[in-house]
Structure formats: structure tokens, C-alpha cells
Amino acid sequence: MKLSALLACFLLASPLVAVAQDEAVPADPKDEILRPPPTYKANGVDVVEKLGSRVPLDTRFRRQDGNVMTLGDVLAAKRPGGAGATGSDELPTILTFNYSDCPMLCSLQLNGLTASLPEIARKQDGATFWLGEHYRIITIDLEPHEDLGKLAKMREKYIARFPEAQREAARAGWTFLAAEMPGDGTHIKRVAESVGFSYVYVTERAEWAHPASLIFLSSRGMVTRYVHGIEFSPDVLRESVLKAGASEPATAVGFMNRCYHFDPSANDHSQAGVMALRIGAAGFVVLLISGLGVLRSIRKSKSSHVSEKENRS
């Protein structure tokens, strides 16, 4: 791994985590990940939980097919053909924030989600939870310049991870939203702020630094639970969907992941350290060459003296 392109992924325990811990295993010093300096602008990337808050329903977006609609329009869409998770035709929602060119974290999060969702579609205790029939997913794209073609391709990539029998319903139930006006991230930010989700653009890397969290919403857009991380227990997802459908707040679960590239060479102190090492190495090479030259001269001088003595004798 090159120091100049170190991927910093911090696993931060949520203050309300309900996960049992095994015995701590001492960390290998070689695996240590350097923390960014206090001035690094992505240090503030976090999730401040706001249970009971409501998302702004008047925010406007382009859907993956190009149609413009408000967030309220998406949340108000009825379940086709009958009742949802709680006997209503209104559906609870899993809200995520991602973007198509995310180098790693978005893929890890959505891969983990789509690995678990088919599991909760299997009957357990007489209940099933199908995406598109019992709950919906809304993914808001963090990149305000996102190309809709790439967004639609990203959506299909994750729909394809569902069993074939579930794909039609999943396609109807998973909406990807991009900025209404390309380049204008105002409404993206409004929704993110309403649920306490912070993110920042890292110009040097041309990437968005952001956390990984699922935010469960009631059918009216109220925050009911945060599930942090990149792997999701089917039991937790079942419970979270059920509680969101009943507009019942629940304790957060999981570990929050924040991933972003940090370049230590961009820090003044690091640059000074690297420069000092280079100067030291150059000085050592000069001393080594000089020493070898001196030794060679001494040997040559001794050889000349021996030759003179032999000639005189």
C-alpha cells in the first residue's frame, strides 16, 4: 500500500450500539492506520442521530428515469395491491446516501444490504418482508453532477443481486434520486441535514467523504431508527422495517463506518519528515561513496609503496 494513497477506514462505535464484543485481540503495529491531522476537512463526517425528526417532503429530485418529483411524492406512493408491513398500503422506507463513483464504501454498504434483504423476504413467524411490497428504499445520490445513465446502471446492478422472483417488486420499490438541477446539491443537503447525515467533498481526491448508515423512516417521513455499518443482520432489518411501519422509534444498532482517502504527504509535517529522510539518505550515500574513495586511495598508496620496495631490492 502506498503511503501517498492510504485508505483510512475508521470503525467508530455508535453510542447506542447493542453488539457483544469478544476478547480484544492486540493490533499488529504494521496494520496501524494513520489518523488525519486535526485540520483535515473530512474529520467532521459523522451521523448525529435525530430520532423523531422528519425529512423535508418538498425537496425536489430527478428520479433515475429522469422524472422530477418531490421526496414527499416518493414516500406517498401506495403499495400496489394491498396492505404493507403493518396492514396499511403506506410503506416504511430505508433511506441511504450513496453515489456511483464511490471508491469502496457505497459498494460495501449496498452489497451488505442486498445480501440480507432476500433473507427477510423468507417467511418467518408467519411474516415476510418484500422490497416493493412491504417497504421501499430511497437512495439519494450525494454527487450533484451525477449522470442519470450511471445512476440507472448502479440501480440495476443491485436489483440484479435479488433472486429472480423478487426483482420485479424490488425494481418497483427501490428509487434512486439525483439533484433536480445538475450541480445544485441544495436539496440533497437539506435531506441529509434533517437526518443528521454529514458529508464533505474532498477536492484533492475528487471524492465524497461520508459515513455508512441506513436510516429508517415511517411512511410519513419520520426517522425511526439508524442501522450503521456495512453488514446487516436479517433479524435487525425485520425489526427495523416493522417498527418504521408502526412509526415506533428504536435504538440504533451497529458500528458506524467512515471511509475516505487521507494523503499524509499533503500535511506539512509529513512533507518535512519525508524531506528530512531524503536529505539524510542522500547524506549517507555521499559519506559512503567518500569512505569508499578514501579506502581505495589508501589501498592504492600501499600498493605503490610495496612496488617501490620490490624494485629497489
Side-chain angles (χ1 to χ4, degrees):
M1 181 185 298
K2 293 184 179 179
L3 192 62
S4 62
L6 183 64
L7 180 64
C9 285
F10 297 100
L11 303 181
L12 304 180
S14 168
L16 298 175
V17 172
V19 180
Q21 296 293 322
D22 296 325
E23 292 185 10
V25 179
D28 188 335
K30 293 184 294 184
D31 294 334
E32 181 183 2
I33 295 176
L34 298 179
R35 286 192 174 276
T39 54
Y40 186 59
K41 66 181 181 181
N43 283 336
V45 168
D46 206 348
V47 174
V48 178
E49 295 170 8
K50 296 185 176 182
L51 289 179
S53 66
R54 294 181 182 274
V55 295
L57 302 181
D58 62 332
T59 48
R60 296 175 63 81
F61 298 92
R62 284 177 300 155
R63 205 168 56 183
Q64 71 276 342
D65 58 6
N67 288 332
V68 175
M69 58 198 323
T70 66
L71 184 57
D73 292 334
V74 183
L75 291 172
K78 307 295 184 183
R79 175 187 184 273
T86 59
S88 168
D89 59 357
E90 297 179 336
L91 301 182
T93 296
I94 302 175
L95 175 65
T96 77
F97 293 91
N98 305 101
Y99 69 107
S100 66
D101 288 333
C102 185
M104 185 175 75
L105 187 57
C106 294
S107 295
L108 291 176
Q109 181 191 24
L110 296 180
N111 283 342
L113 180 60
T114 51
S116 294
L117 292 182
E119 294 297 316
I120 72 173
R122 296 177 181 176
K123 183 172 288 190
Q124 181 171 311
D125 299 328
T128 59
F129 295 91
W130 279 54
L131 173 58
E133 293 191 11
H134 303 98
Y135 66 96
R136 65 168 54 88
I137 301 175
I138 297 175
T139 293
I140 294 181
D141 199 300
L142 292 174
E143 172 52 64
H145 295 279
E146 188 71 87
D147 176 76
L148 287 184
K150 291 173 68 174
L151 191 63
K153 185 176 180 181
M154 178 183 178
R155 175 174 176 266
E156 287 304 312
K157 170 186 173 182
Y158 292 107
I159 295 294
R161 292 176 58 86
F162 285 81
E164 188 172 355
Q166 298 178 29
R167 287 177 196 164
E168 183 178 353
R171 191 172 283 110
W174 197 339
T175 303
F176 279 58
L177 300 176
E180 179 189 13
M181 301 296 294
D184 183 1
T186 303
H187 287 202
I188 299 170
K189 193 169 186 64
R190 279 186 63 199
V191 178
E193 288 179 345
S194 73
V195 298
F197 184 96
S198 63
Y199 60 101
V200 66
Y201 188 68
V202 182
T203 307
E204 298 79 10
R205 304 292 311 179
E207 295 169 5
W208 290 96
H210 64 92
S213 295
L214 304 179
I215 301 157
F216 286 78
L217 306 175
S218 72
S219 60
R220 305 297 173 87
M222 183 184 78
V223 177
T224 60
R225 193 177 213 177
Y226 294 82
V227 177
H228 305 297
I230 56 176
E231 294 183 349
F232 308 101
S233 160
D235 289 340
V236 168
L237 293 180
R238 284 190 190 95
E239 180 189 32
S240 301
V241 168
L242 193 59
K243 287 182 177 296
S247 299
E248 181 181 336
T251 301
V253 176
F255 289 94
M256 184 160 53
N257 297 62
R258 297 187 300 162
C259 286
Y260 48 81
H261 283 89
F262 165 57
D263 184 355
S265 67
N267 179 267
D268 292 339
H269 298 293
S270 298
Q271 289 180 341
V274 171
M275 183 60 70
L277 288 173
R278 288 175 178 171
I279 292 172
F284 177 76
V285 171
V286 170
L287 288 174
L288 180 62
I289 293 174
S290 299
L292 291 174
V294 170
L295 287 174
R296 186 175 179 183
S297 297
I298 291 173
R299 287 177 181 175
K300 189 174 182 180
S301 178
K302 285 182 178 180
S303 178
S304 298
H305 286 308
V306 170
S307 297
E308 280 185 25
K309 286 181 181 180
E310 288 178 350
N311 289 336
R312 287 173 185 176
S313 59

